[in-house]
Amino acid sequence: MTAGPAFPAARLAAWLSARIAGRPPVALRDVTEPAQGFSSRTVLLTAAWIEDGVERERPLVARLQRDVAVPMLADVFHQYRVMRAIAAHSSVKVPVVEFKEEDAAVLGAPFFLMDRIDGRVPPDFPSYHAQGWFAEELDAAGRERHWWNGVREMHRLHAIDWQAFPFLAEGADTVPDAVFYLTRFVDHWYDWASAGRSFPIVEDALRFLMANPPPCRRSGLVWNDARLGNTMFRRDGEVASLFDFEVASLGPPEVDLAHWMYLDDVFSLNFGVERIDGIPDEAAAIAGFERIYGWPMPYFSYYLAVAAVKILILSIRSYGNDKAMPTPDALPDFLVGRVRRYVDRYAAYLRG
């Protein structure tokens, strides 16, 4: 779809002209606005100008602030700061983020611009387990290769020390562990989502998890939306970019690993779709995580319980803003069952 007349492309072109070396007149082409997205408004465009007699082009993505219902999605510059910090402290593949504007007068809202990257993303809807290039063009070995390449790129992300993100660590005087993560992120999300209502399955699980954390072997950035659908791949199967850091926080890397693994079930079994060949099963996934990260994870059911609680919380209140995402009349049986399964499994692990 095109970004309609409400998008002030001419003003953005003039603003960008003043920020490119030599201040050349910039023209914007192919301005489109995808329909997806829950937080910031996203506009795709190509900036073009003449430099030393040669036409230059720069494909860009504009992320604009907008009013949102969810407090933790309210700051468009949160992901700007996260991606800038990732790029400053690592070679992790994330988009180059060079321009930002806090004055709403330019486009009607604060915004930032990042480079648009070529690649393809496994689709969420319809699920990559059933349709699309991931299901239809790759064989099982190719899917497994893509999956593990995503994990390896996450490993590089998680190698960045948590102190590289001081804006996420306010008030932290010790290494951000699982309890820090649950208190500073998951509990706040639940407070908003529950809107004063009580959901004992969530509350009991959170109390148990906060009281019984496993050892924290490493702490760093928690992507918080780690999944194939937020990973862009090149045609050769290598990762082109990780993206969507709107709600990144701090904590152990296992938080993201469990979310990455659990979302495979959410986008297959939860939707009544058979899991596709090539996605590692639980035992193979955990063994691979241990190999890549370099430490044993006998307590991994704890982090699967954390992932299951987070996804269950997402189901209790609509967070789609002006997007269609109705709240179910009752908590989904699959999601409730997974919370119970993983909490019970971790409790059994603690009992020995």
Side-chain angles (χ1 to χ4, degrees), residues 27-57:
L28 300 186
R29 300 200 299 257
D30 306 322
V31 180
T32 60
E33 184 169 358
Q36 73 271 18
F38 294 120
S39 52
S40 56
R41 182 182 176 191
T42 299
V43 178
L44 311 180
L45 55 98
T46 299
W49 67 93
I50 303 297
E51 182 179 323
D52 297 327
V54 178
E55 184 173 355
R56 305 292 185 187
E57 287 189 350

Side-chain angles (χ1 to χ4, degrees), residues 27-247:
L28 300 186
R29 300 200 299 257
D30 306 322
V31 180
T32 60
E33 184 169 358
Q36 73 271 18
F38 294 120
S39 52
S40 56
R41 182 182 176 191
T42 299
V43 178
L44 311 180
L45 55 98
T46 299
W49 67 93
I50 303 297
E51 182 179 323
D52 297 327
V54 178
E55 184 173 355
R56 305 292 185 187
E57 287 189 350
R58 188 168 180 177
L60 296 167
V61 178
R63 290 284 177 91
L64 285 70
Q65 181 73 60
R66 67 177 180 181
D67 292 334
V68 295
V70 186
M72 283 175 286
L73 293 175
D75 181 10
V76 73
F77 296 119
H78 181 88
Q79 59 180 316
Y80 170 88
R81 291 188 291 270
V82 169
M83 287 190 289
R84 295 272 291 187
I86 292 170
H89 294 91
S90 76
S91 59
V92 173
K93 295 180 177 66
V94 293
V96 173
V97 184
E98 187 175 348
F99 307 104
K100 75 164 183 172
E101 179 55 72
E102 298 183 25
D103 188 349
V106 179
L107 297 183
F111 67 92
F112 70 87
L113 301 178
M114 60 185 176
D115 282 355
R116 194 162 81 241
I117 297 172
D118 289 332
R120 52 186 187 171
V121 178
D124 291 336
F125 305 104
S127 170
Y128 58 84
H129 286 270
Q131 296 182 43
W133 65 270
F134 191 83
E136 296 166 8
E137 296 181 23
L138 302 180
D139 60 13
R143 295 183 202 110
E144 184 174 11
R145 181 167 176 266
H146 281 68
W147 199 90
W148 284 114
N149 282 345
V151 172
R152 293 186 184 95
E153 196 64 26
M154 266 199 296
H155 177 236
R156 288 187 278 274
L157 179 74
H158 293 145
I160 307 171
D161 189 85
W162 66 272
Q163 295 179 80
F165 306 93
F167 52 92
L168 298 177
E170 185 177 353
D173 52 7
T174 59
V175 173
D177 59 6
V179 173
F180 176 96
Y181 172 75
L182 290 172
T183 303
R184 294 282 289 265
F185 181 76
V186 179
D187 209 32
H188 285 181
W189 191 287
Y190 177 65
D191 283 347
W192 172 82
S194 61
R197 298 167 294 167
S198 178
F199 295 88
I201 180 67
V202 174
E203 293 160 10
D204 291 348
L206 285 176
R207 276 194 294 269
F208 173 74
L209 294 170
M210 288 185 184
N212 297 281
C216 181
R217 300 294 296 266
R218 181 185 298 167
S219 183
L221 187 73
V222 176
W223 185 2
N224 262 327
D225 203 3
R227 56 192 174 92
L228 279 175
N230 276 338
T231 309
M232 182 174 285
F233 294 94
R234 302 187 328 216
R235 289 280 173 173
D236 63 2
E238 296 298 318
V239 172
S241 183
L242 307 180
F243 55 90
D244 280 359
F245 292 92
E246 288 96 334
V247 289

